[in-house]
């Protein structure tokens, strides 16, 4: 990442990481304009590595105008999404991406996101190297394990 951090700066956060995989199935829908496969959200963890089939449905929100942009599936490739934890560590240099999933009436879709998360005992807070008097911390620290316990999976 272009944060001028040493290569293994984030490594200790992942020593006892709490990554998990989700298997998503989006059946066809007779009224695709009235439903969503996944409502708008941001992933709470650090990085999401997403495998998807060739059907397509993922949309990301463009910040400049709020438009939902279709993410074209590319064969043999993964989509990497930044989550809230990276936003906090980077003190807003990077931003967590808002996304949603549309459904369609003709083809079911499968996706497999791998959520890369820090260890339960990690307190997530802006990295001290990235805060200064001109650029103060934008977030208070929060305990990842306690936060995770409040989330329904
Ligand atoms: O199915 C997708 O493309 C994305 C799924 C997703 O955003 C999630 O499971 O958090
Ligand atoms: Fe997501």
């Amino acid at each position: 990442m272009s944060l001028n951090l040493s290569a293994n700066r984030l490594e200790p956060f992942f020593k006892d990481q709490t990554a998990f995989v989700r298997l998503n199935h989006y059946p066809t829908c007779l009224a695709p304009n009235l439903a969503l496969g996944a409502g708008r959200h941001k992933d709470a963890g650090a990085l999401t590595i997403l495998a998807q089939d060739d059907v397509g449905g993922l949309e990301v929100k463009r910040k400049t105008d709020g438009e939902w942009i279709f993410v074209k599936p590319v064969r043999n490739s993964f989509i990497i999404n930044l989550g809230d934890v990276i936003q906090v560590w980077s003190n807003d240099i990077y931003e967590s991406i808002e996304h949603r999933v549309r459904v369609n009436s003709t083809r079911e879709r499968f996706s497999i996101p791998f959520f890369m998360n820090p260890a339960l005992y990690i307190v997530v807070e802006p990295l001290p190297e990235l805060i200064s008097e001109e650029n103060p911390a934008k977030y208070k620290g929060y305990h990842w394990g306690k936060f995770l316990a409040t989330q329904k999976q």
Side-chain angles (χ1 to χ4, degrees):
M1 289 197 292
S2 53
L3 296 173
N4 283 329
L5 304 170
S6 61
N8 53 4
R9 175 66 177 87
L10 303 179
E11 214 173 285
F13 300 138
F14 293 101
K15 183 164 172 280
D16 300 303
Q17 44 79 17
T18 54
F20 66 96
V21 161
R22 186 180 285 146
L23 306 175
N24 290 320
H25 174 222
Y26 306 96
T28 55
C29 174
L30 291 175
N33 291 328
L34 300 178
L36 284 171
R40 57 195 287 178
H41 68 280
K42 296 178 176 184
D43 295 343
L47 284 180
T48 304
I49 302 168
L50 177 80
Q52 62 168 330
D53 58 21
D54 66 343
V55 175
L58 176 65
E59 292 182 332
V60 295
K61 194 169 178 187
R62 187 162 58 198
K63 211 184 144 189
T64 46
D65 58 4
E67 282 283 308
W68 288 101
I69 308 297
F70 178 75
V71 180
K72 209 172 105 192
V74 177
R75 220 180 147 76
N76 296 326
S77 66
F78 296 107
I79 291 161
I80 314 289
N81 278 335
L82 301 189
D84 296 336
V85 166
I86 294 278
Q87 179 165 340
V88 173
W89 280 338
S90 74
N91 202 27
D92 277 359
I93 296 174
Y94 287 107
E95 281 180 50
S96 178
I97 183 89
E98 188 169 3
H99 54 284
R100 68 180 188 182
V101 179
R102 300 193 67 137
V103 282
N104 72 79
S105 58
T106 52
R107 290 184 70 194
E108 62 180 349
R109 173 173 180 264
F110 294 87
S111 75
I112 309 175
F114 174 85
F115 299 96
M116 207 177 139
N117 296 328
L120 288 176
Y121 50 77
I122 291 297
V123 173
V124 180
E125 59 192 347
L127 298 175
E129 305 90 305
L130 302 178
I131 58 185
S132 60
E133 235 164 73
E134 309 84 70
N135 194 23
K138 298 200 166 63
Y139 303 96
K140 285 189 190 155
Y142 62 97
H143 187 275
W144 176 252
K146 285 187 189 155
F147 169 79
L148 207 57
T150 68
Q151 302 290 295
K152 55 176 172 17
Q153 299 278 324

